[in-house]
Amino acid sequence: AFFSSDNISSRLAVALGLIYFLPVIIARAIQIFWPPVIGIMEIEKPRFFSWWIIFQLEMLFSRISILEEMLRIIPGLYSFWLRCWGAKIGRLTFWSPGVRIFDRPWLNIGDDVLLGAGVRISAHVYYRKPNGELEFLLAPVQVENNTVVGGYSILGPGSSIAAGETTEACLLLPPYTRFENGKRIKTHD
C-alpha cells in the first residue's frame, strides 16, 4: 500500500505544491510584514535581510531552471506563478526558453510582451562606491505593453522599456536606464 499509485500520486502532488508554493507564501509574508526598501540599502541592515531571504527562496528555481521551464509549457501558468510572488504580469506574455528572472516581486511586465531566449532580468545590483564601500540597489524593472525584448538581453534594476519597442538582441540596460525610441536614456545618476 505504501507504493500504491494513489499514494505515490498524492505524495508527488504534495511535494510539487511545497516546492512551488511554500517559498511563495513565505516571500509574500515577508513583503507584507517586513518589506525591503526600494532604492539604495545599506548592507547588513534589517531591510536588506528581508530582500536577502526572498532572494534565497528564489534560489532553488535559479539553480534548477527546469522547474521554471516546466511551468512555461502550459500557457499562462508561469505568469500566474510569478504573480503569486508579487510580480505584475500582463496578459499574453511570451516567455522564450532560457529566460531568467531574479527578484520576482519587483517585476512589472505589460500586456502582449515577448521576451526572447536567454533574457535576464534582475531588480538588484551590488556596486562599489568611490570610497570603496559596497552599496546595494533594489528597484523594479518595467517592460511596457506591446514590447519585444531581444534575445540574451540583460535588464538591470530600475530599467524600463517603453511601450511598442522592439530591442536588438543582447541589449544591456544598466540600472535606471530606459529604452525608448530605439535609444538608451539614463533616468537617474
Side-chain angles (χ1 to χ4, degrees):
F2 184 76
F3 289 106
S4 71
S5 63
D6 289 339
N7 198 7
I8 290 173
S9 298
S10 62
R11 288 174 188 253
L12 181 60
V14 168
L16 287 175
L18 287 173
I19 287 170
Y20 282 106
F21 288 103
L22 184 59
V24 170
I25 292 166
I26 295 168
R28 290 303 293 224
I30 291 169
Q31 291 171 57
I32 292 168
F33 298 110
W34 195 36
V37 173
I38 300 300
I40 295 171
M41 277 189 270
E42 290 184 45
I43 299 170
E44 299 181 10
K45 295 292 181 178
R47 296 299 177 154
F48 169 81
F49 286 110
S50 62
W51 166 82
W52 185 85
I53 292 167
I54 293 169
F55 192 67
Q56 295 308 309
L57 291 167
E58 295 180 354
M59 205 48 49
L60 173 67
F61 308 102
S62 297
R63 301 219 186 268
I64 306 173
S65 59
I66 189 70
L67 293 172
E68 287 191 338
E69 290 294 338
M70 288 173 38
L71 293 176
R72 293 180 191 147
I73 292 171
I74 301 170
L77 184 58
Y78 184 64
S79 293
F80 167 78
W81 186 68
L82 289 175
R83 288 182 196 109
C84 291
W85 282 93
K88 295 171 183 71
I89 309 293
R91 66 178 169 83
L92 299 177
T93 300
F94 182 80
W95 307 94
S96 294
V99 170
R100 301 294 292 272
I101 307 294
F102 305 99
D103 307 309
R104 292 165 181 85
W106 299 280
L107 179 61
N108 188 350
I109 304 286
D111 295 334
D112 306 311
V113 170
L114 184 148
L115 292 116
V119 168
R120 303 291 192 255
I121 300 176
S122 178
H124 81 276
V125 70
Y126 289 93
Y127 59 93
R128 196 162 298 281
K129 297 188 314 188
N131 68 2
E133 287 182 35
L134 273 179
E135 200 160 61
F136 177 82
L137 171 65
L138 177 67
V141 176
Q142 181 171 11
V143 179
E144 296 176 4
N145 297 339
N146 305 306
T147 299
V148 176
V149 180
Y152 302 98
S153 294
I154 300 173
L155 283 60
S159 66
S160 63
I161 300 177
E165 292 288 336
T166 298
T167 76
E168 69 268 10
C170 302
L171 173 71
L172 175 60
L173 284 184
Y176 293 118
T177 303
R178 181 167 175 80
F179 188 85
E180 190 169 15
N181 297 320
K183 297 180 209 158
R184 286 186 290 213
I185 305 160
K186 190 78 171 152
T187 59
H188 286 77
D189 287 331

